[in-house]
Coordinates of all heavy atoms in Angstrom, one line a residue:
A48 N 21.2 12.8 2.0 CA 21.5 13.7 3.0 C 20.4 13.8 4.0 O 20.5 13.7 5.3 CB 21.6 15.1 2.4
V49 N 19.1 13.8 3.6 CA 17.9 14.0 4.5 C 17.8 12.7 5.4 O 17.5 12.8 6.6 CB 16.6 14.2 3.7 CG1 15.4 14.1 4.7 CG2 16.7 15.6 3.1
S50 N 18.1 11.5 4.8 CA 18.0 10.3 5.6 C 19.0 10.3 6.7 O 18.7 9.8 7.8 CB 18.1 9.0 4.7 OG 19.3 9.0 4.1
R51 N 20.2 10.8 6.4 CA 21.2 10.9 7.5 C 20.8 11.8 8.6 O 20.9 11.5 9.7 CB 22.6 11.4 6.9 CG 23.2 10.4 6.0 CD 24.7 10.2 6.2 NE 25.1 9.1 5.3 CZ 25.5 9.2 4.1 NH1 25.8 10.4 3.6 NH2 25.9 8.2 3.4
L52 N 20.2 13.0 8.2 CA 19.8 13.9 9.2 C 18.6 13.4 10.0 O 18.5 13.6 11.2 CB 19.4 15.3 8.5 CG 20.5 16.0 7.8 CD1 19.9 17.2 7.0 CD2 21.5 16.5 8.8
L53 N 17.7 12.6 9.3 CA 16.6 12.0 10.1 C 17.1 11.0 11.1 O 16.4 10.8 12.1 CB 15.7 11.3 9.1 CG 14.7 12.2 8.3 CD1 14.0 11.4 7.2 CD2 13.7 12.8 9.2
D54 N 18.3 10.4 10.9 CA 18.8 9.6 12.0 C 19.6 10.3 13.0 O 20.1 9.7 13.9 CB 19.7 8.5 11.3 CG 19.0 7.4 10.6 OD1 17.8 7.3 10.9 OD2 19.5 6.7 9.7
G55 N 19.6 11.6 12.9 CA 20.3 12.4 13.9 C 19.5 12.7 15.1 O 18.6 11.9 15.5
P56 N 19.8 13.8 15.8 CA 19.1 14.1 17.1 C 17.5 14.3 16.9 O 17.1 14.7 15.8 CB 19.7 15.5 17.5 CG 20.9 15.6 16.7 CD 20.8 14.8 15.4
Q57 N 16.8 13.9 17.9 CA 15.4 13.9 17.8 C 14.8 15.3 17.4 O 13.8 15.3 16.6 CB 14.8 13.5 19.2 CG 13.3 13.6 19.3 CD 12.6 12.3 19.4 OE1 13.3 11.3 19.6 NE2 11.3 12.3 19.2
A58 N 15.3 16.4 17.9 CA 14.7 17.7 17.6 C 15.0 18.0 16.1 O 14.1 18.5 15.5 CB 15.5 18.8 18.5
L59 N 16.1 17.6 15.6 CA 16.4 17.8 14.2 C 15.4 17.0 13.3 O 14.8 17.5 12.4 CB 17.9 17.5 13.9 CG 18.3 17.6 12.4 CD1 18.2 19.1 12.0 CD2 19.7 17.2 12.3
R60 N 15.3 15.7 13.7 CA 14.4 14.8 13.1 C 13.0 15.4 13.0 O 12.3 15.5 12.0 CB 14.4 13.5 13.8 CG 13.4 12.5 13.3 CD 13.5 11.2 14.2 NE 12.3 10.4 14.0 CZ 12.0 9.6 13.0 NH1 12.9 9.5 12.0 NH2 10.9 9.0 12.9
R61 N 12.5 15.9 14.1 CA 11.2 16.4 14.3 C 11.0 17.7 13.3 O 10.0 17.8 12.6 CB 10.9 16.8 15.7 CG 9.4 17.0 16.0 CD 9.1 17.0 17.5 NE 9.2 15.6 18.0 CZ 9.3 15.3 19.3 NH1 9.4 16.2 20.1 NH2 9.4 14.0 19.6
A62 N 12.0 18.5 13.4 CA 12.0 19.7 12.5 C 11.9 19.4 11.1 O 11.2 20.0 10.3 CB 13.2 20.6 12.8
I63 N 12.7 18.4 10.7 CA 12.7 18.0 9.2 C 11.4 17.4 8.8 O 10.8 17.8 7.8 CB 13.8 17.0 8.9 CG1 15.2 17.6 9.1 CG2 13.7 16.4 7.6 CD1 16.3 16.7 9.0
I64 N 10.8 16.6 9.7 CA 9.5 16.0 9.4 C 8.5 17.1 9.2 O 7.7 17.2 8.3 CB 9.1 15.0 10.5 CG1 10.0 13.7 10.4 CG2 7.6 14.6 10.3 CD1 9.7 12.7 11.5
E65 N 8.5 18.0 10.2 CA 7.5 19.1 10.2 C 7.6 20.1 9.0 O 6.6 20.5 8.4 CB 7.5 19.9 11.5 CG 6.7 19.2 12.5 CD 6.8 19.8 13.9 OE1 7.3 20.9 14.1 OE2 6.4 19.1 14.9
R66 N 8.9 20.4 8.7 CA 9.1 21.4 7.6 C 9.1 20.8 6.2 O 8.7 21.4 5.2 CB 10.4 22.1 7.9 CG 10.1 23.1 9.0 CD 11.1 24.1 9.3 NE 10.9 24.6 10.6 CZ 11.8 25.1 11.4 NH1 13.0 25.2 10.9 NH2 11.5 25.5 12.6
L67 N 9.7 19.6 6.1 CA 9.9 19.1 4.7 C 9.0 18.0 4.3 O 8.7 17.8 3.1 CB 11.4 18.5 4.6 CG 12.5 19.6 4.7 CD1 13.8 18.9 4.5 CD2 12.3 20.6 3.6
I68 N 8.5 17.2 5.3 CA 7.8 16.0 4.9 C 6.3 16.1 5.1 O 5.5 15.9 4.2 CB 8.3 14.7 5.7 CG1 9.8 14.6 5.4 CG2 7.5 13.5 5.3 CD1 10.5 13.5 6.2
V69 N 5.9 16.6 6.3 CA 4.4 16.7 6.5 C 3.9 17.9 5.6 O 4.5 18.9 5.4 CB 4.2 17.1 8.0 CG1 2.7 17.6 8.1 CG2 4.5 15.9 8.9

Side-chain angles (χ1 to χ4, degrees):
V49 172
S50 62
R51 292 222 173 94
L52 295 173
L53 281 170
D54 283 339
Q57 173 107 16
L59 180 61
R60 175 185 159 77
R61 194 161 290 163
I63 291 174
I64 290 173
E65 275 172 17
R66 285 190 201 154
L67 293 182
I68 300 177
V69 168

